[in-house]
mmCIF file of all heavy atoms in Angstrom:
data_model
loop_
_atom_site.group_PDB
_atom_site.id
_atom_site.type_symbol
_atom_site.label_atom_id
_atom_site.label_comp_id
_atom_site.label_asym_id
_atom_site.label_seq_id
_atom_site.Cartn_x
_atom_site.Cartn_y
_atom_site.Cartn_z
ATOM 1 N N GLY A 57 -0.730 -5.245 -27.017
ATOM 2 C CA GLY A 57 0.072 -4.035 -26.851
ATOM 3 C C GLY A 57 0.806 -4.080 -25.512
ATOM 4 O O GLY A 57 0.642 -5.027 -24.731
ATOM 5 N N ASP A 58 1.581 -3.034 -25.264
ATOM 6 C CA ASP A 58 2.379 -3.043 -24.044
ATOM 7 C C ASP A 58 1.444 -2.953 -22.834
ATOM 8 O O ASP A 58 0.506 -2.164 -22.811
ATOM 9 C CB ASP A 58 3.375 -1.885 -24.040
ATOM 10 C CG ASP A 58 4.646 -2.279 -23.305
ATOM 11 O OD1 ASP A 58 4.699 -3.406 -22.773
ATOM 12 O OD2 ASP A 58 5.588 -1.469 -23.280
ATOM 13 N N THR A 59 1.709 -3.770 -21.842
ATOM 14 C CA THR A 59 0.782 -3.957 -20.722
ATOM 15 C C THR A 59 1.532 -3.741 -19.416
ATOM 16 O O THR A 59 2.640 -4.256 -19.236
ATOM 17 C CB THR A 59 0.212 -5.401 -20.766
ATOM 18 O OG1 THR A 59 -0.410 -5.602 -22.049
ATOM 19 C CG2 THR A 59 -0.791 -5.633 -19.657
ATOM 20 N N LEU A 60 0.908 -2.977 -18.517
ATOM 21 C CA LEU A 60 1.514 -2.732 -17.207
ATOM 22 C C LEU A 60 1.353 -3.992 -16.355
ATOM 23 O O LEU A 60 0.238 -4.400 -16.055
ATOM 24 C CB LEU A 60 0.836 -1.529 -16.536
ATOM 25 C CG LEU A 60 1.403 -1.075 -15.194
ATOM 26 C CD1 LEU A 60 2.874 -0.689 -15.296
ATOM 27 C CD2 LEU A 60 0.590 0.099 -14.640
ATOM 28 N N ILE A 61 2.464 -4.600 -15.985
ATOM 29 C CA ILE A 61 2.417 -5.843 -15.198
ATOM 30 C C ILE A 61 2.452 -5.527 -13.700
ATOM 31 O O ILE A 61 1.672 -6.058 -12.937
ATOM 32 C CB ILE A 61 3.591 -6.785 -15.566
ATOM 33 C CG1 ILE A 61 3.632 -7.050 -17.085
ATOM 34 C CG2 ILE A 61 3.505 -8.095 -14.769
ATOM 35 C CD1 ILE A 61 2.498 -7.886 -17.630
ATOM 36 N N TYR A 62 3.374 -4.652 -13.292
ATOM 37 C CA TYR A 62 3.384 -4.273 -11.873
ATOM 38 C C TYR A 62 3.980 -2.890 -11.685
ATOM 39 O O TYR A 62 4.618 -2.354 -12.598
ATOM 40 C CB TYR A 62 4.106 -5.314 -11.010
ATOM 41 C CG TYR A 62 5.610 -5.427 -11.191
ATOM 42 C CD1 TYR A 62 6.487 -4.737 -10.349
ATOM 43 C CD2 TYR A 62 6.158 -6.247 -12.172
ATOM 44 C CE1 TYR A 62 7.868 -4.873 -10.472
ATOM 45 C CE2 TYR A 62 7.530 -6.379 -12.315
ATOM 46 C CZ TYR A 62 8.386 -5.684 -11.466
ATOM 47 O OH TYR A 62 9.745 -5.808 -11.606
ATOM 48 N N GLU A 63 3.748 -2.310 -10.528
ATOM 49 C CA GLU A 63 4.280 -0.985 -10.232
ATOM 50 C C GLU A 63 4.531 -0.832 -8.735
ATOM 51 O O GLU A 63 3.996 -1.594 -7.928
ATOM 52 C CB GLU A 63 3.370 0.131 -10.750
ATOM 53 C CG GLU A 63 1.924 -0.010 -10.339
ATOM 54 C CD GLU A 63 0.982 0.948 -11.095
ATOM 55 O OE1 GLU A 63 1.333 2.118 -11.269
ATOM 56 O OE2 GLU A 63 -0.126 0.500 -11.457
ATOM 57 N N VAL A 64 5.351 0.140 -8.446
ATOM 58 C CA VAL A 64 5.794 0.361 -7.069
ATOM 59 C C VAL A 64 5.801 1.868 -6.811
ATOM 60 O O VAL A 64 6.231 2.643 -7.667
ATOM 61 C CB VAL A 64 7.226 -0.209 -6.870
ATOM 62 C CG1 VAL A 64 7.830 0.252 -5.554
ATOM 63 C CG2 VAL A 64 7.225 -1.733 -6.973
ATOM 64 N N TYR A 65 5.305 2.266 -5.650
ATOM 65 C CA TYR A 65 5.436 3.656 -5.189
ATOM 66 C C TYR A 65 6.282 3.654 -3.937
ATOM 67 O O TYR A 65 6.050 2.834 -3.038
ATOM 68 C CB TYR A 65 4.078 4.253 -4.833
ATOM 69 C CG TYR A 65 3.185 4.545 -6.009
ATOM 70 C CD1 TYR A 65 2.342 3.562 -6.512
ATOM 71 C CD2 TYR A 65 3.187 5.796 -6.604
ATOM 72 C CE1 TYR A 65 1.505 3.830 -7.587
ATOM 73 C CE2 TYR A 65 2.358 6.072 -7.674
ATOM 74 C CZ TYR A 65 1.521 5.087 -8.166
ATOM 75 O OH TYR A 65 0.704 5.364 -9.235
ATOM 76 N N GLU A 66 7.209 4.589 -3.856
ATOM 77 C CA GLU A 66 8.027 4.616 -2.645
ATOM 78 C C GLU A 66 8.498 6.021 -2.298
ATOM 79 O O GLU A 66 8.523 6.918 -3.134
ATOM 80 C CB GLU A 66 9.235 3.674 -2.789
ATOM 81 C CG GLU A 66 10.171 4.050 -3.903
ATOM 82 C CD GLU A 66 11.336 3.090 -4.087
ATOM 83 O OE1 GLU A 66 11.350 1.993 -3.513
ATOM 84 O OE2 GLU A 66 12.263 3.476 -4.833
ATOM 85 N N LYS A 67 8.846 6.183 -1.028
ATOM 86 C CA LYS A 67 9.531 7.374 -0.571
ATOM 87 C C LYS A 67 11.021 7.047 -0.534
ATOM 88 O O LYS A 67 11.413 5.906 -0.297
ATOM 89 C CB LYS A 67 9.069 7.751 0.840
ATOM 90 C CG LYS A 67 7.608 8.148 0.960
ATOM 91 C CD LYS A 67 7.253 9.396 0.197
ATOM 92 C CE LYS A 67 7.711 10.668 0.868
ATOM 93 N NZ LYS A 67 7.257 11.879 0.083
ATOM 94 N N GLU A 68 11.839 8.048 -0.747
ATOM 95 C CA GLU A 68 13.289 7.829 -0.700
ATOM 96 C C GLU A 68 13.793 7.920 0.738
ATOM 97 O O GLU A 68 13.643 8.951 1.383
ATOM 98 C CB GLU A 68 14.017 8.858 -1.547
ATOM 99 C CG GLU A 68 14.045 8.468 -3.004
ATOM 100 C CD GLU A 68 14.812 9.484 -3.840
ATOM 101 O OE1 GLU A 68 15.746 10.115 -3.319
ATOM 102 O OE2 GLU A 68 14.452 9.632 -5.019
ATOM 103 N N ILE A 69 14.371 6.831 1.190
ATOM 104 C CA ILE A 69 14.943 6.741 2.535
ATOM 105 C C ILE A 69 16.430 6.404 2.345
ATOM 106 O O ILE A 69 16.764 5.600 1.476
ATOM 107 C CB ILE A 69 14.270 5.594 3.327
ATOM 108 C CG1 ILE A 69 12.736 5.703 3.284
ATOM 109 C CG2 ILE A 69 14.788 5.514 4.759
ATOM 110 C CD1 ILE A 69 12.155 6.828 4.077
ATOM 111 N N PRO A 70 17.320 6.989 3.140
ATOM 112 C CA PRO A 70 18.746 6.646 2.977
ATOM 113 C C PRO A 70 18.968 5.135 3.119
ATOM 114 O O PRO A 70 18.391 4.503 4.008
ATOM 115 C CB PRO A 70 19.422 7.411 4.122
ATOM 116 C CG PRO A 70 18.490 8.518 4.458
ATOM 117 C CD PRO A 70 17.101 7.999 4.190
ATOM 118 N N GLN A 71 19.802 4.585 2.242
ATOM 119 C CA GLN A 71 20.046 3.136 2.257
ATOM 120 C C GLN A 71 21.120 2.814 3.279
ATOM 121 O O GLN A 71 22.279 2.574 2.920
ATOM 122 C CB GLN A 71 20.433 2.661 0.856
ATOM 123 C CG GLN A 71 19.312 2.936 -0.130
ATOM 124 C CD GLN A 71 19.425 2.126 -1.406
ATOM 125 O OE1 GLN A 71 20.207 1.183 -1.513
ATOM 126 N NE2 GLN A 71 18.637 2.488 -2.397
ATOM 127 N N ARG A 72 20.722 2.836 4.539
ATOM 128 C CA ARG A 72 21.693 2.549 5.589
ATOM 129 C C ARG A 72 21.023 1.760 6.718
ATOM 130 O O ARG A 72 19.811 1.848 6.917
ATOM 131 C CB ARG A 72 22.304 3.855 6.120
ATOM 132 C CG ARG A 72 21.325 4.719 6.846
ATOM 133 C CD ARG A 72 21.923 6.073 7.234
ATOM 134 N NE ARG A 72 20.835 6.922 7.710
ATOM 135 C CZ ARG A 72 20.794 8.244 7.578
ATOM 136 N NH1 ARG A 72 21.775 8.885 6.986
ATOM 137 N NH2 ARG A 72 19.758 8.939 8.025
ATOM 138 N N ASP A 73 21.844 1.047 7.425
ATOM 139 C CA ASP A 73 21.453 0.264 8.599
ATOM 140 C C ASP A 73 20.704 1.149 9.590
ATOM 141 O O ASP A 73 21.107 2.278 9.859
ATOM 142 C CB ASP A 73 22.751 -0.276 9.224
ATOM 143 C CG ASP A 73 22.487 -1.085 10.479
ATOM 144 O OD1 ASP A 73 21.439 -1.753 10.546
ATOM 145 O OD2 ASP A 73 23.338 -1.049 11.385
ATOM 146 N N GLY A 74 19.598 0.629 10.128
ATOM 147 C CA GLY A 74 18.823 1.371 11.122
ATOM 148 C C GLY A 74 17.595 2.039 10.538
ATOM 149 O O GLY A 74 16.633 2.293 11.250
ATOM 150 N N GLU A 75 17.636 2.341 9.235
ATOM 151 C CA GLU A 75 16.451 2.911 8.582
ATOM 152 C C GLU A 75 15.498 1.777 8.192
ATOM 153 O O GLU A 75 15.867 0.596 8.216
ATOM 154 C CB GLU A 75 16.840 3.703 7.325
ATOM 155 C CG GLU A 75 17.816 4.831 7.555
ATOM 156 C CD GLU A 75 17.230 6.008 8.344
ATOM 157 O OE1 GLU A 75 16.023 6.018 8.615
ATOM 158 O OE2 GLU A 75 18.015 6.898 8.712
ATOM 159 N N ILE A 76 14.301 2.167 7.830
ATOM 160 C CA ILE A 76 13.292 1.223 7.350
ATOM 161 C C ILE A 76 12.830 1.707 5.970
ATOM 162 O O ILE A 76 12.463 2.870 5.815
ATOM 163 C CB ILE A 76 12.099 1.179 8.343
ATOM 164 C CG1 ILE A 76 12.464 0.373 9.581
ATOM 165 C CG2 ILE A 76 10.845 0.616 7.696
ATOM 166 C CD1 ILE A 76 12.503 -1.135 9.394
ATOM 167 N N GLN A 77 12.892 0.819 4.976
ATOM 168 C CA GLN A 77 12.376 1.131 3.639
ATOM 169 C C GLN A 77 10.964 0.596 3.526
ATOM 170 O O GLN A 77 10.677 -0.491 4.055
ATOM 171 C CB GLN A 77 13.244 0.458 2.559
ATOM 172 C CG GLN A 77 14.724 0.712 2.662
ATOM 173 C CD GLN A 77 15.132 2.096 2.201
ATOM 174 O OE1 GLN A 77 14.363 2.800 1.544
ATOM 175 N NE2 GLN A 77 16.349 2.490 2.555
ATOM 176 N N PHE A 78 10.116 1.315 2.812
ATOM 177 C CA PHE A 78 8.775 0.780 2.573
ATOM 178 C C PHE A 78 8.258 1.248 1.220
ATOM 179 O O PHE A 78 8.685 2.287 0.704
ATOM 180 C CB PHE A 78 7.806 1.188 3.684
ATOM 181 C CG PHE A 78 7.477 2.654 3.715
ATOM 182 C CD1 PHE A 78 6.303 3.119 3.141
ATOM 183 C CD2 PHE A 78 8.324 3.562 4.324
ATOM 184 C CE1 PHE A 78 5.982 4.477 3.170
ATOM 185 C CE2 PHE A 78 8.014 4.914 4.345
ATOM 186 C CZ PHE A 78 6.843 5.375 3.770
ATOM 187 N N CYS A 79 7.361 0.485 0.652
ATOM 188 C CA CYS A 79 6.772 0.848 -0.636
ATOM 189 C C CYS A 79 5.413 0.186 -0.775
ATOM 190 O O CYS A 79 5.101 -0.774 -0.065
ATOM 191 C CB CYS A 79 7.678 0.436 -1.795
ATOM 192 S SG CYS A 79 7.943 -1.324 -1.935
ATOM 193 N N SER A 80 4.608 0.721 -1.689
ATOM 194 C CA SER A 80 3.395 0.000 -2.064
ATOM 195 C C SER A 80 3.735 -0.793 -3.319
ATOM 196 O O SER A 80 4.351 -0.289 -4.252
ATOM 197 C CB SER A 80 2.222 0.951 -2.304
ATOM 198 O OG SER A 80 2.336 1.600 -3.538
#
Side-chain angles (χ1 to χ4, degrees):
Chain A
D58 212 357
T59 303
L60 184 59
I61 306 291
Y62 69 95
E63 51 192 317
V64 168
Y65 288 87
E66 62 182 12
K67 296 296 284 183
E68 277 182 30
I69 309 289
Q71 299 198 12
R72 67 186 170 211
D73 179 33
E75 302 291 353
I76 284 285
Q77 308 284 345
F78 69 99
C79 63
S80 76

